[in-house]
Amino acid sequence: MGFEIKAKIANFGGQLLKLEHQSTSTKTKMALNLFLPPIAIFHPSNKVPVLIFLSGLTCTGDNCAEKGFLQPHAAKHGIAVVYPDTSPRGAKINGEDDDWDFGSGAGFYVDATTEKWRNNYNMYTYINEELPSELFKQFEVLDSGRVGITGHSMGGHGALTIFLKNPDKYLSVSAFAPISNPINCPWGQKAFGGYFGEENKEKWAEHDATELVKVWEKNKTLEALIDVGTSDNFYKQGQLLPENFEKAAEDKRIEGIQVRYQEVSIPTSPSGTVRWVR
Amino acid sequence: MGFEIKAKIANFGGQLLKLEHQSTSTKTKMALNLFLPPIAIFHPSNKVPVLIFLSGLTCTGDNCAEKGFLQPHAAKHGIAVVYPDTSPRGAKINGEDDDWDFGSGAGFYVDATTEKWRNNYNMYTYINEELPSELFKQFEVLDSGRVGITGHSMGGHGALTIFLKNPDKYLSVSAFAPISNPINCPWGQKAFGGYFGEENKEKWAEHDATELVKVWEKNKTLEALIDVGTSDNFYKQGQLLPENFEKAAEDKRIEGIQVRYQEVSIPTSPSGTVRWVR
Protein backbone atom coordinates (compact mmCIF):
# COMPACT_ATOMS: atom_id res chain seq x y z
CA MET A 1 0.00 0.00 0.00
CA GLY A 2 1.12 3.55 -0.60
CA PHE A 3 3.09 5.62 1.85
CA GLU A 4 1.59 8.56 3.62
CA ILE A 5 4.10 11.41 3.87
CA LYS A 6 3.71 12.64 7.45
CA ALA A 7 6.40 15.34 7.18
CA LYS A 8 9.09 16.67 4.88
CA ILE A 9 12.11 18.05 6.69
CA ALA A 10 14.83 20.13 5.03
CA ASN A 11 18.03 18.18 5.63
CA PHE A 12 21.54 18.83 4.28
CA GLY A 13 20.15 20.31 1.10
CA GLY A 14 17.88 17.33 0.58
CA GLN A 15 14.78 16.17 2.40
CA LEU A 16 14.03 13.72 5.15
CA LEU A 17 10.56 12.25 4.62
CA LYS A 18 8.69 10.76 7.55
CA LEU A 19 6.65 7.95 5.99
CA GLU A 20 3.97 5.60 7.22
CA HIS A 21 2.25 2.69 5.48
CA GLN A 22 0.18 -0.36 6.19
CA SER A 23 2.38 -3.44 5.82
CA THR A 24 1.07 -6.73 4.47
CA SER A 25 4.07 -8.59 5.97
CA THR A 26 3.59 -7.42 9.53
CA LYS A 27 -0.13 -6.60 9.32
CA THR A 28 0.60 -3.42 11.23
CA LYS A 29 1.20 0.19 10.33
CA MET A 30 4.93 0.73 9.82
CA ALA A 31 6.78 4.03 10.11
CA LEU A 32 10.11 4.79 8.44
CA ASN A 33 12.34 7.62 7.27
CA LEU A 34 13.50 8.21 3.72
CA PHE A 35 16.31 10.63 3.01
CA LEU A 36 16.35 12.05 -0.51
CA PRO A 37 19.63 13.72 -1.48
CA PRO A 38 19.54 17.12 -3.21
CA ILE A 39 20.11 15.61 -6.65
CA ALA A 40 16.98 13.45 -6.27
CA ILE A 41 14.95 16.57 -5.67
CA PHE A 42 16.47 19.00 -8.12
CA HIS A 43 17.21 16.52 -10.92
CA PRO A 44 14.58 13.85 -10.37
CA SER A 45 15.01 12.42 -13.84
CA ASN A 46 18.29 10.87 -12.68
CA LYS A 47 17.59 7.91 -10.46
CA VAL A 48 19.68 7.69 -7.29
CA PRO A 49 21.13 4.62 -5.56
CA VAL A 50 19.55 3.52 -2.30
CA LEU A 51 21.12 2.48 0.99
CA ILE A 52 18.97 0.59 3.47
CA PHE A 53 20.10 1.19 7.05
CA LEU A 54 18.85 -1.39 9.58
CA SER A 55 18.89 -0.24 13.19
CA GLY A 56 19.63 -2.13 16.36
CA LEU A 57 17.75 -3.28 19.46
CA THR A 58 15.27 -0.77 20.95
CA CYS A 59 15.55 1.59 17.96
CA THR A 60 12.99 2.90 15.52
CA GLY A 61 13.80 4.34 12.11
CA ASP A 62 14.31 7.68 13.84
CA ASN A 63 17.48 7.00 15.82
CA CYS A 64 19.98 6.83 12.99
CA ALA A 65 18.12 9.41 10.88
CA GLU A 66 18.51 11.86 13.77
CA LYS A 67 21.99 11.11 15.01
CA GLY A 68 23.70 8.65 12.68
CA PHE A 69 25.33 11.42 10.65
CA LEU A 70 24.81 9.57 7.36
CA GLN A 71 22.81 12.29 5.60
CA PRO A 72 25.56 14.86 4.91
CA HIS A 73 27.58 12.15 3.19
CA ALA A 74 24.55 10.74 1.39
CA ALA A 75 23.69 14.28 0.27
CA LYS A 76 27.19 14.80 -1.10
CA HIS A 77 27.34 11.47 -2.90
CA GLY A 78 23.72 11.51 -4.10
CA ILE A 79 22.48 8.46 -2.23
CA ALA A 80 18.98 7.96 -0.84
CA VAL A 81 18.85 6.33 2.61
CA VAL A 82 15.97 4.26 3.97
CA TYR A 83 15.65 3.92 7.76
CA PRO A 84 13.02 1.27 8.55
CA ASP A 85 11.68 0.36 11.97
CA THR A 86 13.13 -2.66 13.78
CA SER A 87 9.89 -4.60 14.38
CA PRO A 88 6.13 -4.40 14.07
CA ARG A 89 4.53 -2.11 16.66
CA GLY A 90 1.22 -2.59 18.38
CA ALA A 91 0.65 -6.11 17.04
CA LYS A 92 -1.26 -6.83 20.27
CA ILE A 93 0.74 -9.96 21.04
CA ASN A 94 0.82 -10.76 24.73
CA GLY A 95 4.21 -9.71 26.16
CA GLU A 96 5.50 -8.07 22.96
CA ASP A 97 6.60 -4.95 24.85
CA ASP A 98 7.98 -6.68 27.94
CA ASP A 99 11.64 -7.08 26.92
CA TRP A 100 14.01 -4.63 25.27
CA ASP A 101 15.81 -7.45 23.44
CA PHE A 102 12.80 -9.43 22.21
CA GLY A 103 9.48 -8.49 20.63
CA SER A 104 8.87 -4.85 19.74
CA GLY A 105 12.10 -3.05 18.89
CA ALA A 106 13.78 -6.42 18.40
CA GLY A 107 12.40 -8.09 15.27
CA PHE A 108 15.84 -9.49 14.33
CA TYR A 109 15.01 -9.29 10.60
CA VAL A 110 13.57 -12.81 10.48
CA ASP A 111 10.19 -14.28 9.55
CA ALA A 112 9.02 -15.94 12.75
CA THR A 113 7.73 -19.51 12.56
CA THR A 114 6.33 -19.96 16.06
CA GLU A 115 2.56 -19.75 16.45
CA LYS A 116 2.67 -16.70 18.65
CA TRP A 117 4.85 -14.48 16.46
CA ARG A 118 4.48 -15.66 12.87
CA ASN A 119 1.46 -13.59 12.04
CA ASN A 120 3.26 -10.26 12.51
CA TYR A 121 6.98 -10.74 13.06
CA ASN A 122 8.02 -11.02 9.41
CA MET A 123 10.72 -8.40 9.24
CA TYR A 124 12.81 -10.46 6.81
CA THR A 125 10.14 -10.33 4.12
CA TYR A 126 9.27 -6.77 5.03
CA ILE A 127 12.84 -5.49 4.56
CA ASN A 128 13.93 -7.73 1.71
CA GLU A 129 10.75 -7.60 -0.36
CA GLU A 130 7.76 -5.53 0.63
CA LEU A 131 9.40 -2.29 1.71
CA PRO A 132 11.75 -1.79 -1.27
CA SER A 133 9.11 -2.89 -3.72
CA GLU A 134 6.62 -0.36 -2.34
CA LEU A 135 9.24 2.39 -2.25
CA PHE A 136 10.23 1.82 -5.88
CA LYS A 137 6.57 2.00 -6.89
CA GLN A 138 5.93 5.33 -5.24
CA PHE A 139 9.30 7.10 -5.50
CA GLU A 140 10.38 6.82 -9.10
CA VAL A 141 13.65 8.60 -8.37
CA LEU A 142 14.94 5.56 -6.43
CA ASP A 143 17.04 3.18 -8.54
CA SER A 144 15.92 -0.40 -7.87
CA GLY A 145 19.05 -1.65 -9.64
CA ARG A 146 21.44 0.00 -7.19
CA VAL A 147 20.61 -0.96 -3.63
CA GLY A 148 23.04 -1.41 -0.74
CA ILE A 149 22.32 -2.67 2.75
CA THR A 150 23.95 -1.81 6.06
CA GLY A 151 23.10 -1.58 9.73
CA HIS A 152 24.17 -1.48 13.33
CA SER A 153 24.28 -4.29 15.91
CA MET A 154 21.04 -6.28 15.40
CA GLY A 155 20.72 -4.27 12.19
CA GLY A 156 24.23 -5.31 11.17
CA HIS A 157 23.10 -8.91 11.64
CA GLY A 158 20.10 -8.07 9.46
CA ALA A 159 22.26 -6.52 6.73
CA LEU A 160 24.76 -9.39 6.65
CA THR A 161 22.17 -12.18 6.65
CA ILE A 162 19.84 -10.51 4.16
CA PHE A 163 22.77 -9.93 1.83
CA LEU A 164 24.17 -13.44 2.25
CA LYS A 165 20.77 -14.92 1.44
CA ASN A 166 20.22 -12.57 -1.55
CA PRO A 167 23.64 -11.64 -2.93
CA ASP A 168 22.27 -10.70 -6.35
CA LYS A 169 19.81 -8.23 -4.90
CA TYR A 170 22.26 -5.83 -3.25
CA LEU A 171 25.33 -4.09 -4.64
CA SER A 172 27.00 -3.63 -1.25
CA VAL A 173 26.87 -4.84 2.32
CA SER A 174 28.47 -3.38 5.41
CA ALA A 175 27.81 -3.27 9.13
CA PHE A 176 28.71 -1.41 12.29
CA ALA A 177 29.26 -3.71 15.27
CA PRO A 178 27.05 -6.46 13.85
CA ILE A 179 25.77 -9.45 15.78
CA SER A 180 27.79 -11.79 13.58
CA ASN A 181 27.01 -15.21 15.00
CA PRO A 182 23.64 -14.96 16.76
CA ILE A 183 23.25 -18.69 17.41
CA ASN A 184 26.24 -18.43 19.74
CA CYS A 185 25.36 -15.27 21.66
CA PRO A 186 22.71 -14.59 24.34
CA TRP A 187 20.76 -12.02 22.29
CA GLY A 188 20.52 -14.30 19.27
CA GLN A 189 19.69 -17.39 21.26
CA LYS A 190 16.84 -15.62 23.03
CA ALA A 191 15.48 -14.15 19.79
CA PHE A 192 15.78 -17.26 17.64
CA GLY A 193 14.42 -19.43 20.45
CA GLY A 194 11.37 -17.20 20.59
CA TYR A 195 10.81 -16.62 16.89
CA PHE A 196 11.76 -20.11 15.61
CA GLY A 197 11.44 -22.33 18.68
CA GLU A 198 14.24 -23.91 20.68
CA GLU A 199 14.37 -27.08 18.59
CA ASN A 200 14.35 -25.56 15.11
CA LYS A 201 18.15 -25.22 14.84
CA GLU A 202 18.11 -25.54 11.06
CA LYS A 203 16.11 -22.35 10.86
CA TRP A 204 18.47 -20.67 13.30
CA ALA A 205 21.39 -21.41 10.96
CA GLU A 206 19.53 -19.87 8.02
CA HIS A 207 19.67 -16.49 9.76
CA ASP A 208 23.17 -16.63 11.18
CA ALA A 209 25.80 -14.69 9.22
CA THR A 210 28.62 -17.01 10.26
CA GLU A 211 26.63 -20.12 9.31
CA LEU A 212 25.70 -18.51 5.98
CA VAL A 213 29.38 -17.92 5.23
CA LYS A 214 29.95 -21.63 5.84
CA VAL A 215 27.58 -22.42 2.97
CA TRP A 216 28.86 -19.60 0.74
CA GLU A 217 30.53 -20.90 -2.40
CA LYS A 218 34.16 -21.80 -1.67
CA ASN A 219 36.74 -19.31 -3.01
CA LYS A 220 33.97 -16.97 -4.18
CA THR A 221 34.68 -13.34 -3.26
CA LEU A 222 32.42 -11.82 -0.62
CA GLU A 223 32.87 -8.09 -0.40
CA ALA A 224 31.73 -6.93 3.01
CA LEU A 225 32.97 -4.19 5.32
CA ILE A 226 32.54 -4.53 9.08
CA ASP A 227 33.54 -1.97 11.68
CA VAL A 228 33.75 -2.84 15.38
CA GLY A 229 34.92 -0.73 18.31
CA THR A 230 36.99 -2.81 20.69
CA SER A 231 35.73 -0.86 23.72
CA ASP A 232 32.10 -1.64 22.84
CA ASN A 233 30.72 -3.40 25.90
CA PHE A 234 28.56 -5.70 23.81
CA TYR A 235 31.62 -6.72 21.83
CA LYS A 236 33.46 -7.42 25.06
CA GLN A 237 30.49 -9.41 26.38
CA GLY A 238 30.57 -11.71 23.35
CA GLN A 239 27.31 -10.58 21.77
CA LEU A 240 28.91 -9.64 18.43
CA LEU A 241 31.55 -12.32 17.72
CA PRO A 242 32.91 -10.90 14.46
CA GLU A 243 35.94 -13.17 14.86
CA ASN A 244 33.71 -16.19 14.25
CA PHE A 245 32.51 -14.62 11.01
CA GLU A 246 36.07 -13.91 9.93
CA LYS A 247 37.23 -17.39 10.79
CA ALA A 248 34.41 -19.01 8.83
CA ALA A 249 35.45 -16.98 5.79
CA GLU A 250 39.11 -17.88 6.23
CA ASP A 251 38.29 -21.56 6.56
CA LYS A 252 36.52 -21.44 3.18
CA ARG A 253 39.18 -19.22 1.61
CA ILE A 254 36.62 -16.55 0.93
CA GLU A 255 38.23 -13.22 0.17
CA GLY A 256 36.90 -9.67 0.25
CA ILE A 257 35.76 -9.41 3.86
CA GLN A 258 37.28 -6.48 5.72
CA VAL A 259 36.81 -6.30 9.49
CA ARG A 260 38.14 -3.10 11.03
CA TYR A 261 38.70 -3.22 14.78
CA GLN A 262 38.67 0.38 16.01
CA GLU A 263 40.77 0.93 19.10
CA VAL A 264 39.87 3.90 21.24
CA SER A 265 43.13 5.16 22.65
CA ILE A 266 43.19 7.89 25.23
CA PRO A 267 46.04 10.14 24.12
CA THR A 268 48.64 10.99 26.69
CA SER A 269 51.36 13.59 26.82
CA PRO A 270 54.98 12.55 26.23
CA SER A 271 55.40 12.10 29.98
CA GLY A 272 52.51 9.67 30.07
CA THR A 273 49.92 11.81 31.81
CA VAL A 274 46.87 13.30 30.17
CA ARG A 275 48.01 16.89 30.03
CA TRP A 276 44.71 18.57 29.29
CA VAL A 277 43.14 17.14 32.42
CA ARG A 278 44.75 18.33 35.59
CA MET B 1 34.27 21.45 42.63
CA GLY B 2 36.13 19.31 40.14
CA PHE B 3 34.52 17.36 37.35
CA GLU B 4 34.34 13.62 37.35
CA ILE B 5 34.96 12.22 33.87
CA LYS B 6 32.29 9.52 33.49
CA ALA B 7 33.25 8.57 29.92
CA LYS B 8 35.54 9.55 27.06
CA ILE B 9 34.07 8.91 23.64
CA ALA B 10 36.05 9.04 20.39
CA ASN B 11 34.27 11.66 18.30
CA PHE B 12 35.28 13.14 14.93
CA GLY B 13 38.95 12.75 15.75
CA GLY B 14 38.49 14.46 19.10
CA GLN B 15 36.79 13.34 22.29
CA LEU B 16 33.42 13.84 23.85
CA LEU B 17 33.74 13.83 27.63
CA LYS B 18 30.74 13.03 29.80
CA LEU B 19 31.27 15.14 32.92
CA GLU B 20 29.55 15.43 36.27
CA HIS B 21 30.17 17.83 39.15
CA GLN B 22 28.54 19.15 42.28
CA SER B 23 27.30 22.68 41.60
CA THR B 24 27.34 25.37 44.25
CA SER B 25 24.83 27.45 42.23
CA THR B 26 22.15 24.79 41.99
CA LYS B 27 23.20 22.71 45.00
CA THR B 28 22.68 19.61 42.89
CA LYS B 29 24.89 17.33 40.88
CA MET B 30 25.09 18.64 37.29
CA ALA B 31 25.93 16.60 34.20
CA LEU B 32 27.30 18.04 30.96
CA ASN B 33 29.22 17.16 27.83
CA LEU B 34 32.49 18.69 26.74
CA PHE B 35 33.76 18.18 23.21
CA LEU B 36 37.51 18.56 22.79
CA PRO B 37 38.62 18.95 19.17
CA PRO B 38 41.61 16.92 17.92
CA ILE B 39 44.02 19.84 18.26
CA ALA B 40 43.18 20.16 21.96
CA ILE B 41 44.20 16.56 22.45
CA PHE B 42 47.21 16.28 20.19
CA HIS B 43 48.62 19.77 20.73
CA PRO B 44 47.38 20.62 24.22
CA SER B 45 49.86 23.44 24.64
CA ASN B 46 47.74 25.53 22.26
CA LYS B 47 44.60 26.68 24.01
CA VAL B 48 41.38 26.35 22.03
CA PRO B 49 38.36 28.68 21.92
CA VAL B 50 35.18 27.52 23.62
CA LEU B 51 31.58 27.59 22.43
CA ILE B 52 28.85 27.17 25.05
CA PHE B 53 25.70 25.61 23.55
CA LEU B 54 22.55 26.09 25.63
CA SER B 55 19.76 23.63 24.89
CA GLY B 56 16.01 24.09 24.82
CA LEU B 57 13.02 22.93 26.83
CA THR B 58 13.03 19.26 27.93
CA CYS B 59 16.67 18.77 26.86
CA THR B 60 19.74 17.71 28.75
CA GLY B 61 23.29 18.35 27.62
CA ASP B 62 23.06 15.12 25.64
CA ASN B 63 20.57 16.13 22.94
CA CYS B 64 22.71 18.46 20.92
CA ALA B 65 25.92 16.55 21.63
CA GLU B 66 24.27 13.48 20.07
CA LYS B 67 22.39 14.98 17.16
CA GLY B 68 23.23 18.66 16.80
CA PHE B 69 25.99 17.96 14.26
CA LEU B 70 28.28 20.64 15.71
CA GLN B 71 31.24 18.38 16.48
CA PRO B 72 32.56 17.73 12.94
CA HIS B 73 32.72 21.48 12.37
CA ALA B 74 34.16 22.15 15.82
CA ALA B 75 36.75 19.42 15.16
CA LYS B 76 37.73 21.02 11.86
CA HIS B 77 37.97 24.54 13.26
CA GLY B 78 39.55 23.54 16.57
CA ILE B 79 36.77 24.70 18.89
CA ALA B 80 35.77 23.08 22.17
CA VAL B 81 32.01 22.86 22.77
CA VAL B 82 30.31 22.79 26.17
CA TYR B 83 26.81 21.30 26.38
CA PRO B 84 25.35 22.03 29.84
CA ASP B 85 22.07 20.75 31.23
CA THR B 86 18.99 23.01 31.10
CA SER B 87 18.11 22.99 34.79
CA PRO B 88 18.97 21.43 38.12
CA ARG B 89 17.81 17.82 38.45
CA GLY B 90 16.50 16.14 41.55
CA ALA B 91 16.32 19.31 43.65
CA LYS B 92 13.37 17.72 45.48
CA ILE B 93 11.11 20.74 44.98
CA ASN B 94 7.44 19.83 45.02
CA GLY B 95 6.17 19.72 41.42
CA GLU B 96 9.54 20.32 39.75
CA ASP B 97 8.99 17.43 37.32
CA ASP B 98 5.30 18.06 36.61
CA ASP B 99 5.56 20.31 33.53
CA TRP B 100 7.73 20.00 30.44
CA ASP B 101 7.97 23.78 30.13
CA PHE B 102 8.68 24.70 33.75
CA GLY B 103 10.93 23.29 36.46
CA SER B 104 13.30 20.48 35.53
CA GLY B 105 14.40 20.71 31.89
CA ALA B 106 13.22 24.32 31.82
CA GLY B 107 15.51 26.45 33.97
CA PHE B 108 15.33 29.37 31.50
CA TYR B 109 18.89 30.49 32.39
CA VAL B 110 17.74 32.80 35.17
CA ASP B 111 18.43 33.01 38.91
CA ALA B 112 15.01 32.49 40.48
CA THR B 113 13.90 34.92 43.16
CA THR B 114 10.76 33.21 44.44
CA GLU B 115 10.99 31.36 47.73
CA LYS B 116 10.25 28.00 46.20
CA TRP B 117 12.84 28.02 43.41
CA ARG B 118 15.63 30.36 44.45
CA ASN B 119 17.65 27.83 46.38
CA ASN B 120 18.35 25.69 43.32
CA TYR B 121 17.17 27.33 40.10
CA ASN B 122 20.20 29.55 39.50
CA MET B 123 21.06 28.61 35.96
CA TYR B 124 22.12 32.15 35.08
CA THR B 125 24.95 32.11 37.60
CA TYR B 126 25.72 28.51 36.84
CA ILE B 127 26.19 29.11 33.10
CA ASN B 128 27.69 32.59 33.23
CA GLU B 129 30.03 32.09 36.17
CA GLU B 130 30.39 28.79 37.92
CA LEU B 131 30.54 26.36 35.01
CA PRO B 132 33.11 28.18 32.83
CA SER B 133 35.22 29.07 35.85
CA GLU B 134 35.36 25.42 36.94
CA LEU B 135 36.05 24.23 33.40
CA PHE B 136 38.96 26.64 32.97
CA LYS B 137 40.40 25.45 36.25
CA GLN B 138 40.39 21.79 35.33
CA PHE B 139 40.90 21.84 31.56
CA GLU B 140 43.90 24.04 30.91
CA VAL B 141 43.52 23.63 27.16
CA LEU B 142 40.36 25.78 27.16
CA ASP B 143 41.01 29.46 26.40
CA SER B 144 39.09 31.60 28.88
CA GLY B 145 39.74 34.63 26.68
CA ARG B 146 37.88 33.23 23.67
CA VAL B 147 34.39 32.14 24.62
CA GLY B 148 31.28 32.25 22.45
CA ILE B 149 27.71 31.47 23.43
CA THR B 150 24.87 30.02 21.40
CA GLY B 151 21.76 27.94 21.86
CA HIS B 152 18.41 26.73 20.62
CA SER B 153 14.91 27.91 21.57
CA MET B 154 14.98 28.43 25.36
CA GLY B 155 18.75 28.06 24.99
CA GLY B 156 18.75 30.77 22.32
CA HIS B 157 17.01 33.00 24.83
CA GLY B 158 19.72 32.06 27.31
CA ALA B 159 22.54 32.84 24.88
CA LEU B 160 21.09 36.21 23.84
CA THR B 161 20.29 37.41 27.35
CA ILE B 162 23.53 36.19 28.91
CA PHE B 163 25.49 37.90 26.13
CA LEU B 164 23.48 41.12 26.33
CA LYS B 165 24.06 41.31 30.09
CA ASN B 166 27.78 40.45 29.77
CA PRO B 167 28.95 41.66 26.36
CA ASP B 168 32.60 41.84 27.40
CA LYS B 169 32.64 38.23 28.51
CA TYR B 170 31.83 36.59 25.17
CA LEU B 171 33.40 37.01 21.75
CA SER B 172 30.31 35.86 19.84
CA VAL B 173 26.60 35.25 20.26
CA SER B 174 24.20 33.39 18.01
CA ALA B 175 20.98 31.44 18.34
CA PHE B 176 18.76 28.94 16.55
CA ALA B 177 15.05 29.74 16.84
CA PRO B 178 15.51 31.67 20.09
CA ILE B 179 12.70 32.74 22.40
CA SER B 180 13.46 36.40 21.69
CA ASN B 181 10.87 38.22 23.77
CA PRO B 182 9.81 35.90 26.61
CA ILE B 183 7.77 38.47 28.51
CA ASN B 184 5.37 38.47 25.55
CA CYS B 185 5.04 34.73 24.90
CA PRO B 186 3.28 31.97 26.86
CA TRP B 187 6.46 29.99 27.65
CA GLY B 188 8.26 33.03 29.00
CA GLN B 189 5.30 34.33 30.96
CA LYS B 190 4.84 30.98 32.68
CA ALA B 191 8.55 30.64 33.47
CA PHE B 192 9.16 34.19 34.65
CA GLY B 193 5.92 34.19 36.63
CA GLY B 194 7.12 31.08 38.42
CA TYR B 195 10.77 31.98 38.91
CA PHE B 196 10.36 35.73 39.61
CA GLY B 197 6.71 36.07 40.67
CA GLU B 198 3.89 37.63 38.67
CA GLU B 199 4.46 41.14 40.02
CA ASN B 200 8.21 41.38 39.61
CA LYS B 201 8.11 42.76 36.05
CA GLU B 202 11.37 44.64 36.42
CA LYS B 203 13.14 41.33 36.92
CA TRP B 204 11.29 39.91 33.91
CA ALA B 205 12.71 42.68 31.71
CA GLU B 206 16.25 41.95 32.91
CA HIS B 207 16.05 38.52 31.26
CA ASP B 208 14.24 39.46 28.06
CA ALA B 209 16.45 39.82 24.97
CA THR B 210 14.18 42.39 23.35
CA GLU B 211 14.02 44.49 26.52
CA LEU B 212 17.80 44.24 26.88
CA VAL B 213 18.24 45.59 23.35
CA LYS B 214 16.08 48.54 24.37
CA VAL B 215 18.67 49.44 27.01
CA TRP B 216 21.67 48.66 24.80
CA GLU B 217 23.74 51.73 24.01
CA LYS B 218 22.22 53.61 21.06
CA ASN B 219 24.08 53.21 17.76
CA LYS B 220 26.48 50.70 19.33
CA THR B 221 27.07 47.69 17.11
CA LEU B 222 25.61 44.41 18.35
CA GLU B 223 26.89 41.48 16.35
CA ALA B 224 24.45 38.62 16.71
CA LEU B 225 23.34 35.92 14.29
CA ILE B 226 19.87 34.42 14.59
CA ASP B 227 18.45 31.63 12.46
CA VAL B 228 14.72 30.83 12.42
CA GLY B 229 12.79 28.32 10.30
CA THR B 230 9.51 29.83 9.17
CA SER B 231 7.75 26.45 9.29
CA ASP B 232 8.71 25.97 12.94
CA ASN B 233 5.42 25.50 14.77
CA PHE B 234 6.64 27.38 17.82
CA TYR B 235 7.60 30.31 15.61
CA LYS B 236 4.14 30.23 14.04
CA GLN B 237 2.53 30.06 17.49
CA GLY B 238 4.30 33.25 18.56
CA GLN B 239 6.63 31.69 21.14
CA LEU B 240 9.81 33.02 19.50
CA LEU B 241 8.99 36.57 18.28
CA PRO B 242 12.34 37.37 16.63
CA GLU B 243 10.62 40.27 14.84
CA ASN B 244 10.24 42.06 18.17
CA PHE B 245 13.95 41.68 18.79
CA GLU B 246 14.76 43.02 15.33
CA LYS B 247 12.39 45.97 15.70
CA ALA B 248 13.87 46.95 19.05
CA ALA B 249 17.30 47.04 17.42
CA GLU B 250 16.05 49.06 14.47
CA ASP B 251 14.35 51.57 16.77
CA LYS B 252 17.66 52.21 18.50
CA ARG B 253 19.64 52.17 15.25
CA ILE B 254 21.70 49.25 16.47
CA GLU B 255 23.54 47.55 13.64
CA GLY B 256 25.11 44.11 13.33
CA ILE B 257 22.13 41.89 14.06
CA GLN B 258 21.45 39.35 11.34
CA VAL B 259 18.21 37.37 11.46
CA ARG B 260 17.96 34.68 8.80
CA TYR B 261 14.46 33.39 8.14
CA GLN B 262 14.83 29.95 6.57
CA GLU B 263 11.99 29.04 4.26
CA VAL B 264 11.40 25.36 3.68
CA SER B 265 10.26 25.13 0.12
CA ILE B 266 9.03 21.85 -1.27
CA PRO B 267 10.58 21.71 -4.71
CA THR B 268 8.23 21.01 -7.58
CA SER B 269 8.82 19.98 -11.14
CA PRO B 270 8.45 22.53 -13.93
CA SER B 271 4.84 21.46 -14.34
CA GLY B 272 4.15 22.23 -10.72
CA THR B 273 3.79 18.71 -9.38
CA VAL B 274 6.29 16.99 -7.16
CA ARG B 275 7.72 14.58 -9.68
CA TRP B 276 9.51 12.22 -7.35
CA VAL B 277 6.30 11.42 -5.52
CA ARG B 278 3.70 9.80 -7.67
Side-chain angles (χ1 to χ4, degrees), chain B residues 53-57 59 150-157 175-178 232:
Chain B
F53 184 98
L54 303 178
S55 287
L57 289 166
C59 291
T150 186
H152 169 240
S153 194
M154 175 183 75
H157 145 75
F176 297 97
D232 182 328

Side-chain angles (χ1 to χ4, degrees), chain A residues 5 8 10 12 15 17 36 40-42 66-67 69 72 137-141 264-267 276-278, chain B residues 5 8 10 12 15 17 36 40-42 66-67 69 72 137-141 265-267 276-278:
Chain A
I5 301 175
K8 293 183 182 183
F12 295 102
Q15 288 187 357
L17 307 190
L36 292 173
I41 292 165
F42 296 104
E66 287 174 0
K67 58 187 174 180
F69 186 52
K137 265 190 226 165
Q138 188 163 336
F139 299 93
E140 294 175 352
V141 75
V264 178
S265 60
I266 301 302
W276 39 270
V277 181
R278 219 189 244 169
Chain B
I5 300 174
K8 293 183 182 183
F12 295 102
Q15 289 188 357
L17 307 190
L36 292 174
I41 293 164
F42 297 104
E66 287 174 1
K67 58 187 174 181
F69 186 52
K137 263 190 230 167
Q138 188 162 339
F139 299 93
E140 293 175 353
V141 75
S265 60
I266 302 301
W276 40 269
V277 182
R278 221 190 240 166

